[in-house]
Amino acid sequence: MPPMNYRFSTRALSAKSSDVRDLLLHAQNPDIISLAGGLPAAEFFDVDGIRNAAASVLKHSSTSALQYGMTEGQPRLKAALKKHLASKGIRASDSTLIVTTGSQQGLDLIARAFINEGETIVVERPTYLAALQAFNLCAPNYVSINIDDQGGCVHELQSLENLPHEQKPKLIYVVTNFANPSGVSMSLERRRWLAQWAVKNEVFVLEDDPYGDLYDGSAPPTPLAAIAQSIPGASDWCGYASSLSKCLAPGLRIGWMVLPEALARIVVRLKQAMDLHTSTLTQEIAATYLESGAMDDRLVLIRNAYKLRRQTLTEALSKTFGSRISISPSTGGMFIWGRFTDGTQTRPLLAKAIEEKVIFVPGDVFYASDPDQSSLRLNFTSASPERLIEGVRRLAMAM
Ligand SMILES: Cc1ncc(COP(=O)(O)O)c(C=O)c1O
C-alpha cells in the first residue's frame, strides 16, 4: 500500500518486516510443519510455577508490581539475576545491571548508544536477524567476520587494526553460545583473544547469550564477560546481554544487560525515553519464580527434550540428504544450520516447501552482506520428534 501523504522519516521507511515474522503467519496453519520460527516448546512452559509466582506477587507485593518502577529494573529481580550471573562467573552490581524488555531491547539500546549513520560495526556471518533489524535503524556500515566450527573467526579483526580512527569499528556484536542461526559456540581461546583485542583496540564488544543454558551434556565455555573481568581493563570494553525468553517464557519479556558503569548510565537514559521501565508485574513474577529455585529442574527437562529433538532432526536430515547437506556442529540452542552442497538455492526451495506444507528460514536473511543462498535455518524446538521427521520428508518432496 502506498504510504498516503504521510512524510515518514527515513528511519521508518528503512524498517523492513522480518521474513521470519512473515513466515510465522504460515506457522499458524496447523497443517503446516514449522521449522521456521524461534519459539521455545510451549509444552515445557512451567505454567504452574509461573501461576504460583503470579498469585504470590499479587498477594504479597501488589503495590510494587502494579506501580511504576525504576528504569534500571526492580531490586528483587536484580538480586535474583545477580545470583544467576554469578553462577556463570559474571559479577554484576546494581549500577552495571539493567533489566530490559527482552534482550531485543538491549540490542536496540546498544545500537542507539554507539552507532551514527555510516559508522562501522562488526557482526558475524551469519548473525541474528533481528539484531540486524535493530542495528539497521541506525544505518551502520557493516563489516562481517566468518563463523567456523569454533564460532566467530575473531582473528579476522586484525585486518581492521590499521584503519584510520574514523573508520575503526565502534561495536562488535557476537552470539557466543549455540548461536542463532548457526548453532555454533565460540571457543574459549577465541573468547580470551577477543576480550584482549577489545581492550587493546578500545572497541566495545556486546556478547549476546540467550541460549547458553540450553546445552546437552556440558555447559559452554565461560562467558566472554566473565573472562573480561579477569583481564585488566577488559570489562570496560565487554558487555553481556541475556534473557528469560528461551528458558522460562518469552511472553514475560524479561532480558538484562551487564555493562560498564559509564555505558550503563547512558543506556538507562535511552531506555527512559523508550519505555520508562520494563513491566514491573512481569519483573516481580520473574523474581519470585527465580527465588523459588524451580528453574534448575525445569532446565533439566527442557535440555533433555531439546537434545532428543535436535538429534532427531539432525539424523533425519543426514539420512535424507546425505552429503548434499552439511550441518554445523552444535550441542545446544534451538537451531540447526545447514548448507546444501549441491548448489540448491533455499529461497526458491521455500516456495516449493510451502506447497508441501513445511517451512524453514532461507539463510540469506542472516547476512549483513553477501548472503549464502544455499544455507537454511531449521528450528527443532517447536515441533515434536514425529513432526520433525515428517517435516524433513516434506522438505525432500519439495526438493
Ligand atoms: C541471539 C538472540 N538475541 C536476542 C533475542 C531476543 O530475545 P528476547 O527479546 O525474547 O529476549 C533472540 C531471540 O530469538 C536471539 O535469538
Side-chain angles (χ1 to χ4, degrees):
M1 215 198 301
M4 306 278 293
N5 290 327
Y6 302 135
R7 292 184 294 156
F8 285 119
S9 68
T10 318
R11 172 173 297 190
L13 291 172
S14 78
K16 291 201 207 95
S17 175
S18 138
D19 288 31
V20 180
R21 294 215 147 264
D22 294 348
L23 268 174
L24 287 182
L25 291 177
H26 288 288
Q28 281 160 13
N29 175 351
D31 293 339
I32 288 205
I33 296 180
S34 175
L35 309 176
L39 308 186
E43 60 272 37
F44 301 117
F45 288 153
D46 186 357
V47 180
D48 288 340
I50 295 173
R51 184 187 297 114
N52 292 340
S56 160
V57 164
L58 290 173
K59 190 160 176 208
H60 303 294
S61 340
S62 54
T63 309
S64 53
L66 299 176
Q67 191 52 279
Y68 281 116
M70 302 215 299
T71 305
E72 294 83 344
Q74 295 292 94
R76 261 182 78 203
L77 178 60
K78 289 181 75 166
L81 290 175
K82 275 190 263 177
K83 259 173 104 176
H84 174 73
L85 286 158
S87 72
K88 297 177 183 297
I90 301 173
R91 282 188 310 277
S93 69
D94 283 335
S95 49
T96 60
L97 176 62
I98 301 168
V99 175
T100 54
T101 303
S103 49
Q104 185 66 29
Q105 185 184 46
L107 306 185
D108 190 18
L109 287 164
I110 290 295
R112 288 172 197 241
F114 279 105
I115 313 170
N116 294 312
E117 186 176 340
E119 290 179 338
T120 300
I121 66 169
V122 177
V123 296
E124 295 166 302
R125 44 175 283 120
T127 190
Y128 170 48
L129 168 60
L132 292 177
Q133 277 185 297
F135 301 158
N136 283 348
L137 291 176
C138 298
N141 167 45
Y142 287 107
V143 169
S144 301
I145 56 170
N146 288 300
I147 284 189
D148 65 16
D149 293 358
Q150 304 294 304
C153 298
V154 292
H155 296 84
E156 292 176 10
L157 293 170
Q158 281 168 322
S159 67
L160 306 175
E161 282 170 11
N162 296 323
L163 289 175
H165 183 72
E166 55 301 343
Q167 287 174 26
K168 278 204 167 168
K170 287 179 108 177
L171 172 67
I172 301 174
Y173 170 72
V174 286
V175 187
T176 41
N177 295 318
F178 316 120
N180 176 6
S182 71
V184 174
S185 299
M186 190 186 287
S187 69
L188 184 62
E189 182 270 326
R190 287 191 186 174
R191 292 174 197 225
R192 270 202 205 106
W193 192 93
L194 180 55
Q196 275 158 354
W197 192 89
V199 64
K200 187 166 143 235
N201 291 278
E202 302 198 329
V203 180
F204 187 74
V205 180
L206 182 69
E207 171 183 31
D208 185 12
D209 179 26
Y211 299 104
D213 284 318
L214 298 182
Y215 53 84
D216 358 311
S218 48
T222 312
L224 181 72
I227 295 170
Q229 288 178 342
S230 65
I231 298 173
S235 56
D236 289 340
W237 295 100
C238 295
Y240 180 84
S242 188
S243 164
L244 288 182
S245 290
K246 313 299 177 183
C247 301
L248 186 56
L252 293 170
R253 306 308 301 131
I254 298 291
W256 57 91
M257 291 198 290
V258 182
L259 299 174
E261 218 169 303
L263 174 59
R265 276 199 296 274
I266 296 283
V267 163
V268 166
R269 277 184 232 159
L270 293 169
K271 181 170 160 65
Q272 259 165 19
M274 229 183 242
D275 65 356
L276 300 182
H277 60 77
T278 297
S279 159
T280 44
L281 180 59
T282 62
Q283 286 190 68
E284 291 293 331
I285 294 171
T288 307
Y289 186 86
L290 291 176
E291 284 165 8
S292 77
M295 183 121 130
D296 289 345
D297 289 346
R298 184 56 46 165
L299 274 172
V300 172
L301 197 83
I302 295 173
R303 284 178 193 137
N304 287 336
Y306 284 6
K307 178 177 183 175
L308 174 68
R309 290 179 187 202
R310 193 175 49 73
Q311 286 174 344
T312 304
L313 183 57
T314 308
E315 273 167 34
L317 289 167
S318 303
K319 253 198 210 149
T320 309
F321 299 111
S323 61
R324 290 174 75 193
I325 194 165
S326 76
I327 294 172
S328 293
S330 179
T331 53
M334 293 179 31
F335 304 105
I336 286 178
W337 178 248
R339 190 169 184 284
F340 286 107
T341 52
D342 59 1
T344 298
Q345 307 252 305
T346 50
R347 199 155 270 277
L349 178 62
L350 176 64
K352 293 247 184 318
I354 293 172
E355 287 170 22
E356 295 296 334
K357 301 204 165 18
V358 61
I359 53 174
F360 60 85
V361 186
D364 57 1
V365 299
F366 300 104
Y367 292 81
S369 60
D370 299 323
D372 180 341
Q373 308 284 358
S374 293
S375 58
L376 78 172
R377 189 194 77 177
L378 300 155
N379 166 269
F380 55 80
T381 58
S382 49
S384 65
E386 298 71 34
R387 298 262 291 172
L388 291 172
I389 293 170
E390 173 59 14
V392 174
R393 194 193 65 76
R394 292 183 190 181
L395 192 58
M397 295 300 289
M399 293 275 280

